């Protein structure tokens, strides 16, 4: 499969627009034993003034990557156990981003199965914690430029057209929970969340 890196100039400068734009793009993880990749099928936007966003209260040592120019990785630990991959989305100094919630596995499926300890293709990267484990994403990748080839990057696949994109409220948050800032591929078996949100 031929994949080329996303150029920063291609990224929409609106966080919600970026969350939608990233549907169908590819996350590429280069590991010592080979390349693992997946097509993005689900994202969530965390916008300016969003009480659910990590940048809401300002910059800290933990979230500083969220305040970089668009296209950088912000990796954090949720609930003390699961890593989450986010893409910074605004001008430097504004802490907004897009959470990558689910992937359709493309390359390196054997690597992902080993990393996850499961066989079922559908469950390898269905959910943000699972996809981080499948691609061995951790805090060492925080702050990485995702618009250039390296250990972790974003790319265009041979077919970026994802099909019909649905929109819903976000998953697992309590603040600003009514905003329709989650985007997903309708009908994809690789999307996470309850069926009621994926109609």
């Amino acid at each position: 499969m031929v994949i080329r890196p996303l150029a920063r100039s291609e990224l929409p400068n609106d966080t919600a627009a970026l969350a939608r734009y990233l549907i169908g793009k590819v996350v590429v993880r280069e590991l010592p034993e080979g390349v693992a990749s997946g097509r993005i099928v689900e994202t969530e936007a965390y916008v300016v003034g969003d009480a659910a966003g990590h940048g809401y209260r300002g910059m800290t040592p933990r979230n500083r990557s969220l305040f970089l120019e668009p296209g950088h990785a912000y990796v954090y630990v949720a609930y003390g156990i699961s890593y989450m991959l986010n893409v910074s989305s605004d001008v430097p100094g504004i802490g907004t981003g897009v959470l990558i919630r689910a992937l359709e596995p493309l390359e390196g499926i054997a690597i992902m199965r080993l990393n996850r300890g499961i066989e079922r293709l559908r469950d390898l990267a269905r959910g943000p914690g699972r996809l981080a484990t499948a691609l061995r994403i951790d805090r060492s990748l925080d702050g990485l430029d995702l618009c250039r080839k390296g250990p972790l990057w974003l790319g265009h696949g041979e077919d970026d057209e994802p099909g019909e994109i649905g929109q819903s409220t976000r998953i697992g948050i309590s603040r600003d929970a009514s905003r329709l800032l989650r985007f997903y591929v309708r009908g994809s078996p690789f999307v996470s969340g309850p069926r009621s949100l994926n109609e």
Side-chain angles (χ1 to χ4, degrees):
M1 172 180 286
V2 177
I3 302 172
R4 68 171 178 82
L6 293 185
R8 203 173 324 280
S9 60
E10 297 176 282
L11 304 181
N13 57 12
D14 173 82
T15 302
L18 178 62
R20 187 181 181 93
Y21 172 81
L22 288 175
I23 299 290
K25 304 304 184 288
V26 179
V27 177
V28 182
R29 179 73 167 107
E30 298 188 8
L31 293 161
E33 63 270 42
V35 172
S37 69
R39 182 177 288 110
I40 299 170
V41 295
E42 183 184 358
T43 60
E44 287 181 345
Y46 289 85
V47 299
V48 171
D50 187 343
H54 282 199
Y56 182 63
R57 298 189 190 282
M59 191 187 304
T60 67
R62 176 189 181 222
N63 71 12
R64 65 184 182 278
S65 297
L66 197 57
F67 291 78
L68 297 172
E69 65 181 333
H72 283 78
Y74 166 50
V75 180
Y76 68 89
V77 182
Y79 313 114
I81 51 169
S82 297
Y83 292 101
M84 305 280 165
L85 172 62
N86 299 259
V87 182
S88 60
S89 62
D90 213 317
V91 296
I94 303 294
T96 59
V98 174
L99 172 65
I100 308 299
R101 279 201 59 90
L103 303 175
E104 174 187 347
L106 296 175
E107 293 177 281
I109 289 169
I111 295 171
M112 293 190 211
R113 282 181 166 142
L114 195 61
N115 288 340
R116 287 273 291 116
I118 64 164
E119 286 293 316
R120 194 177 184 206
L121 183 67
R122 178 174 181 252
D123 290 332
L124 287 180
R126 187 170 58 89
R130 290 174 174 179
L131 81 83
T133 301
L135 298 182
R136 217 178 299 156
I137 292 170
D138 59 23
R139 285 280 294 170
S140 69
L141 301 171
D142 182 56
L144 205 66
D145 185 352
L146 300 174
C147 293
R148 63 173 66 180
K149 287 190 176 183
L152 181 69
W153 51 282
L154 294 171
H156 289 283
E158 292 165 350
D159 180 17
D160 282 349
E161 197 52 53
E164 188 181 354
I165 298 176
Q167 194 170 349
S168 80
T169 54
R170 295 170 294 186
I171 295 172
I173 61 170
S174 55
R175 291 175 293 183
D176 277 347
S178 63
R179 297 186 184 209
L180 300 177
L181 291 173
R182 174 177 170 265
F183 301 88
Y184 62 95
V185 177
R186 286 189 189 276
S188 170
F190 301 100
V191 168
S192 72
R195 185 172 296 174
S196 61
L197 288 182
N198 295 330
E199 308 266 296

